[in-house]
Amino acid sequence: MSGSYYGGDVSEIRKVLMIHGPNLNLLGQREPEVYGSATLADHTKTTKDALAKHGASLQTMQSNSEAQIVDAVHQARGVVDAIIINAGAFTHYSWAIHDALKSFAGPIIEVHLSNPAAREKFRHTSVIAPVALGTIAGFGGLGYELAVQALFCHRQ
Ligand code: DQA
């Protein structure tokens, strides 16, 4: 038996929403030794190009507000086929974003540029991970390409 990692038909993934949480608008300027020198626009281009190879399109949103992220997830229901999310610090405590993501039927991939498990203790918990298909962390911008690869991957 073979199928996709999320159990659905990968050819049905046509529209993907990428969500970035607080402070990620400052990528490239904020702690480049931790998060790298690439900007959010650079990561968006990487993701868009990777999705285009699979014939899928990208919508993006970044917000420093938890409420706006919850609203974006609600609006994505039935409109986009998959979500890639780097929730920033909300990763570690936003049960509101967790619950919103739980209401989304398609696959969700969690991405982090750094490896939170190797950092401060408060970063070791992710409340996004339990509602994600999987998490990619610690590989910088490559994580976005890996997320796209994972979305379209087939399980043998
Ligand atoms: C992050 C990790 C989080 O702990 C942190 O709050 C961020 C960025 C990452 O991409 O490595 O803002 O999500």
Side-chain angles (χ1 to χ4, degrees), residues 69-149:
I69 294 174
V70 169
D71 287 343
V73 174
H74 292 178
Q75 283 155 20
R77 283 160 42 85
V79 175
V80 308
D81 307 306
I83 292 178
I84 295 171
I85 181 163
N86 180 347
F90 286 149
T91 301
H92 313 301
Y93 64 91
S94 176
W95 291 104
I97 295 174
H98 164 106
D99 282 351
L101 289 169
K102 211 168 179 179
S103 78
F104 180 80
I108 297 164
I109 311 242
E110 178 186 23
V111 174
H112 297 287
L113 294 156
S114 67
N115 177 6
R119 300 179 63 197
E120 303 97 312
K121 199 151 191 246
F122 76 90
R123 297 186 203 274
H124 296 184
T125 297
S126 168
V127 300
I128 306 300
V131 290
L133 182 62
T135 300
I136 296 163
F139 300 109
L142 175 63
Y144 295 101
E145 283 180 61
L146 294 174
V148 171
Q149 217 176 308

